[in-house]
Amino acid sequence: MEKDELTYHIPVLLKESVDGMNIRPDGTYVDVTFGGAGHSREILSRLGEGGRLLGFDQDEDAERNIVNDPHFIFVRSNFRYLYNFLRYHDIEQVDAILADLGVSSHHFDDSERGFSFRFDGDLDMRMNKRAGLTAADIVNTYEEERLANVLYLYGELKNSRKLASVIVKARSGRTIRTIGEFLEIIKPLFGREREKKELAKVFQALRIEVNQEMEALKEMLLAATEALKPGGRLVVITYHSLEDRMVKNIMKTGNVEGKAKTDFFGNLQTPFRLVNNKVIVPDQAEIERNPRSRSAKLRIAEKK
């Protein structure tokens, strides 16, 4: 593994997830979360004549990790546009799709990106630096109720209303531009013993809203369901309950809401067969090597 990849992102559940793709040397595969290329390199090592891998990433920093391999195509785009880009490359269906939904270590460790409360810097959090609202835009412009909903839905914060109220009062006197300014406002609302966990939830909620992660995930999962060949595999690593619920639902019922559809005889109608009924998690050795893998869950399903 190359040094720059290690500093960008350590791939989580690498062998388990790529094994789960059931790779054939001449197959067509997609890594919708290219990032540091850890999973992509492993997939490419298993491809031969006729094999293809498309790697998606909307972050321009990921382009530094592009693999020089004739079997590889890099797509600079959000994975929500999976269907469009498969059509663009004249690919009707693929043999497996991998998604590692974790934020790259690179993002958390880059103070300029604003993903972590460990550093001061601009309150940004955009995966795609060319796009849309920043986290600062959200905390400065969202109405109190909308801000509370974001914190409750995406951070699962019990004191979301109080948090939103305090943020709105604070911004009436000044614009909140930096992580330091934001922490000054919200830190007093958390007890010392739970401070880090609660701050992580606040930053998660803002990051999800900034990048429209839930909407993008829903679109990608629906597109993936259509794009897979019969016998094709959907392999997804999740890190929090919101995204894990959506993945579990699509694999069990064929929709992200988890609404079971049955035929005339009451049999469940779903496009997938679960490959692992029990979720796969990192072992202790991997958690010690890479503490950020602690919350990872791997689910694998096969298209019927």
Side-chain angles (χ1 to χ4, degrees):
M1 204 179 291
E2 295 184 5
K3 189 170 180 249
D4 62 345
E5 178 201 323
L6 276 169
T7 55
Y8 191 99
H9 185 65
I10 302 168
V12 174
L13 292 164
L14 178 62
K15 186 176 187 305
E16 297 88 339
S17 58
V18 179
D19 283 353
M21 294 174 78
N22 204 21
I23 288 171
R24 296 191 338 269
D26 62 346
T28 299
Y29 301 93
V30 185
D31 177 354
V32 295
T33 49
F34 177 71
H39 291 99
S40 282
R41 287 178 197 275
E42 181 60 31
I43 295 163
L44 286 165
S45 75
R46 304 185 189 195
L47 295 184
E49 194 64 40
R52 285 184 295 181
L53 171 66
L54 277 77
F56 279 69
D57 210 295
Q58 62 184 333
D59 182 12
E60 66 187 38
D61 290 351
E63 292 187 39
R64 297 202 299 263
N65 306 314
I66 289 175
V67 185
N68 184 14
D69 188 299
H71 303 286
F72 180 70
I73 300 164
F74 182 74
V75 180
R76 169 84 189 274
S77 173
N78 188 303
F79 61 37
R80 73 195 305 168
Y81 304 115
L82 172 66
Y83 176 73
N84 307 44
F85 280 96
L86 288 179
R87 284 188 65 192
Y88 176 79
H89 289 285
D90 293 321
I91 297 169
E92 282 190 28
Q93 288 191 304
V94 300
D95 294 286
I97 295 168
L98 170 73
D100 174 1
L101 301 175
V103 178
S104 288
S105 308
H106 160 78
H107 288 125
F108 283 125
D109 295 338
D110 182 350
S111 59
E112 290 178 18
R113 301 299 292 270
F115 283 89
S116 174
F117 55 83
R118 292 182 296 126
F119 308 106
D120 198 8
D122 290 340
L123 199 56
D124 192 319
M125 301 197 198
R126 289 172 300 170
M127 297 282 188
N128 180 354
K129 288 189 280 190
R130 302 172 303 174
L133 295 175
T134 66
D137 293 329
I138 287 166
V139 301
N140 286 297
T141 64
Y142 274 27
E143 290 174 3
E144 188 173 319
E145 187 178 359
R146 189 179 179 191
L147 191 54
N149 287 342
V150 166
L151 294 167
Y152 181 74
L153 290 171
Y154 298 153
E156 300 178 291
L157 286 144
K158 293 185 176 69
N159 63 342
S160 59
R161 293 196 178 283
K162 176 71 174 163
L163 266 168
S165 169
V166 167
I167 292 165
V168 168
K169 280 193 186 77
R171 78 189 190 195
S172 64
R174 58 172 172 149
T175 302
I176 305 161
R177 291 193 174 88
T178 68
I179 293 166
E181 290 167 354
F182 185 55
L183 291 177
E184 205 178 282
I185 294 158
I186 64 170
K187 262 189 175 181
L189 277 78
F190 303 122
R192 183 58 62 87
E193 68 289 346
R194 285 194 55 79
E195 185 179 89
K196 281 187 179 173
K197 277 196 170 174
E198 297 299 300
L199 289 176
K201 288 179 179 181
V202 172
F203 275 62
Q204 173 183 293
L206 290 174
R207 192 200 76 226
I208 289 171
E209 178 69 7
V210 165
N211 297 291
Q212 296 186 298
E213 289 178 31
M214 293 298 108
E215 295 89 340
L217 178 58
K218 177 179 178 178
E219 287 173 35
M220 185 276 286
L221 290 171
L222 293 172
T225 304
E226 292 298 313
L228 285 165
K229 294 175 183 175
R233 296 279 183 92
L234 178 60
V235 178
V236 188
I237 304 168
T238 65
Y239 294 82
H240 58 78
S241 58
L242 299 168
E243 59 192 17
D244 188 56
R245 195 175 306 131
M246 287 174 79
V247 172
K248 185 166 64 174
N249 284 344
I250 200 128
M251 289 182 175
K252 285 191 172 174
T253 66
N255 58 73
V256 294
E257 295 78 24
K259 292 174 184 166
K261 293 173 186 169
T262 55
D263 64 14
F264 179 76
F265 301 101
N267 300 310
L268 185 65
Q269 297 285 86
T270 169
F272 290 111
R273 174 186 72 79
L274 296 181
V275 173
N276 60 321
N277 285 307
K278 192 177 177 211
V279 71
I280 298 166
V281 297
D283 60 21
Q284 196 55 40
E286 178 165 5
I287 291 168
E288 283 168 15
R289 276 197 317 276
N290 179 15
R292 284 177 179 157
S293 70
R294 187 182 303 279
S295 56
K297 291 180 177 177
L298 170 62
R299 297 183 186 276
I300 305 165
E302 187 171 282
K303 181 94 171 273
K304 289 178 179 174

